[in-house]
Amino acid sequence: MTSICRKSKYILLLIIFFKIQIGWSQEEVLSLDQCQKEVQEFFPLMKGKELLSKSSDLNTENLKLAYLPKIYANGSLSYQSDVTGISFPGMNTPKAPKDRYSLNLDVEQLIYDGGKTHDRVEVEKKSSEVEIKNLEIQMYQLRERVNMAYFGILLVRKSKLVILDKQNTIVKRLQQLKSAVENGMVLPANLKIMESELLLIEQQVLELNAREESSFNVLSQLMGRSLSVNTKLEETEYDQLSVNGLESKDRPEYQWYLSRQSLLDAQKELLKKDRYPVVSAFGQMGYGNPGYNQLMDEFDTYYMLGAKISWNIFDWKSNRRKQKVIGIQKELLGTQELSFTQNQRINLGKESSEIRKFEILLEKDDAIIELQEDISRSSASQLDNGVITSSDYLEDLNKEIQAKLNKEYHTIQLQQSLAEFKRIKGI
């Protein structure tokens, strides 16, 4: 029975080991949406939203303390050269002492402030919201960098495939040329030209590898984790229907304009409340010499209760001018929003033109590639028969390769333009 249990444990460990190995062997596949999501979740700026919220909560708690009583303890010790006194001939009249001692406890309680404390809390919340929306704008701007890096990698990889295909073609053609040279049908110099072209291809591949690594480094920094250059990327497919229309207010900038407008309204309300009277109660309890009776030279306890009102009846229209300033700021904010909307429309129109351009180019690419392939095949046959040189053949082959590269470029650029359209629109 014990041996069976041990075997079961070994089998279980083997299963776990193989599952782990399978998980490690699986290559990661990333989509553009996943990259965008991870950047928005893990970029350091995201922590700023939490810190701003905590800071606002602390400031709000401090503002609410205005509703609670204020308690002050104070004391004093003094000696003065003379005091007020009354003297009558033949009479011993009392005199205030020249040395004074007091220890007091003062209490003040707000009764009515016209809602100023409430409005100060609202202004603090609105200010925090504006700052958070500003952070969201900065985070949204990272989407453009992610798009550039992501589609840059796809473009490099497509280019490498085409160039490596060209390399295979030249290698095969080089083997046939060697046979032709041996038979005296082709000059030996043609072999050098083909070998030189292979070296140029190696340089191009090295350059593309460096660009791919650089783009992966950008993605790694933005996503907050290390990405291998072997990471697979999905080829994002957007259709024209997903980006129709130029009118959209889903960008975080519009949320910032709304929050800023709300903040200015709250600040204006607070200014109005500044003209309201403030009523509060107060009290004092103390022990000292003299007490409230200044003519008694002895220590005594004392207290006082009361209420007071404070009201700025006339401020020379200062408050009204401040409200007008806020009105001007709201008008300025409106013009900024209109300007942003206009720029957004311009950028969307530009991307729409780019999308149409790449769609038209793609329609012609296949026909161009087919013609260039026919020309290359004809040149290859002529090269084998010694009719043309390797340089002539490579010129035609390069045109074929460029036509294929153009198609890959146009395909990736179309998807990038569609992604940029969605980013500019805010979807």
Side-chain angles (χ1 to χ4, degrees), residues 104-357:
N104 300 322
L105 185 67
D106 294 303
V107 180
E108 186 175 342
Q109 173 64 58
L110 177 67
I111 297 175
Y112 174 78
D113 67 350
K116 277 186 279 190
T117 299
H118 174 270
D119 284 359
R120 288 190 185 105
V121 170
E122 286 300 309
V123 167
E124 172 60 35
K125 290 180 179 178
K126 301 294 185 183
S127 298
S128 176
E129 186 179 346
V130 168
E131 293 181 10
I132 290 174
K133 295 300 181 184
N134 188 46
L135 272 183
E136 291 177 354
I137 291 173
Q138 297 178 50
M139 289 296 300
Y140 191 83
Q141 290 170 348
L142 295 174
R143 290 184 59 179
E144 183 178 9
R145 297 178 63 185
V146 174
N147 284 348
M148 290 178 64
Y150 190 92
F151 287 104
I153 294 169
L154 291 179
L155 197 57
V156 164
R157 289 181 172 179
K158 290 290 186 180
S159 300
K160 280 200 295 185
L161 289 175
V162 175
I163 290 174
L164 291 174
D165 183 58
K166 173 186 175 182
Q167 185 183 48
N168 292 332
T169 301
I170 292 178
V171 169
K172 292 177 182 178
R173 187 59 52 196
L174 194 59
Q175 293 172 350
Q176 295 175 358
L177 276 179
K178 288 178 181 178
S179 176
V181 170
E182 291 173 356
N183 295 326
M185 298 177 63
V186 177
L187 294 174
N190 288 292
L191 291 176
K192 299 293 184 183
I193 295 173
M194 300 293 278
E195 289 171 355
S196 175
E197 188 69 18
L198 285 177
L199 291 176
L200 288 174
I201 289 175
E202 290 179 8
Q203 283 186 330
Q204 290 175 333
V205 171
L206 288 173
E207 183 182 355
L208 290 171
N209 286 338
R211 286 169 56 187
E212 183 180 16
E213 184 178 355
S214 175
S215 295
F216 265 114
N217 285 336
V218 172
L219 271 183
S220 297
Q221 293 295 325
L222 291 173
M223 296 171 67
R225 64 186 179 99
S226 179
L227 294 176
S228 168
V229 290
N230 297 320
T231 303
K232 291 185 177 180
L233 301 183
E234 289 183 3
E235 292 189 29
T236 306
E237 294 289 338
Y238 295 118
D239 54 47
Q240 183 68 36
L241 294 176
S242 66
V243 294
N244 282 336
L246 299 181
E247 294 295 332
S248 175
K249 290 199 173 184
D250 295 326
R251 287 282 294 265
E253 287 86 349
Y254 288 109
Q255 300 302 316
W256 182 85
Y257 289 126
L258 286 174
S259 61
R260 179 69 179 148
Q261 193 89 1
S262 182
L263 172 60
L264 290 173
D265 289 337
Q267 289 174 336
K268 188 173 183 179
E269 285 300 312
L270 179 58
L271 277 175
K272 292 178 181 179
K273 301 292 177 63
D274 277 344
R275 298 304 312 278
Y276 291 6
V278 177
V279 180
S280 59
F282 66 89
Q284 183 182 69
M285 182 173 63
Y287 180 75
N289 180 21
Y292 286 157
N293 187 348
Q294 298 292 311
L295 299 180
M296 293 290 292
D297 188 5
E298 60 182 31
F299 283 89
D300 193 12
T301 58
Y302 50 86
Y303 72 91
M304 176 172 55
L305 300 174
K308 62 180 179 179
I309 182 171
S310 175
W311 192 2
N312 185 6
I313 298 175
F314 189 71
D315 67 349
W316 304 98
K317 298 183 179 179
S318 171
N319 190 282
R320 187 178 299 178
R321 284 190 289 271
K322 290 178 181 178
Q323 292 185 46
K324 287 184 177 179
V325 169
I326 289 181
I328 293 172
Q329 291 176 342
K330 289 179 67 174
E331 289 182 15
L332 179 61
L333 187 66
T335 60
Q336 291 174 347
E337 183 176 357
L338 288 174
S339 177
F340 177 81
T341 300
Q342 186 174 357
N343 286 329
Q344 186 186 27
R345 288 173 181 167
I346 292 172
N347 291 331
L348 287 173
K350 179 182 176 182
E351 287 300 332
S352 293
S353 298
E354 290 291 301
I355 291 168
R356 287 193 294 272
K357 179 184 77 174

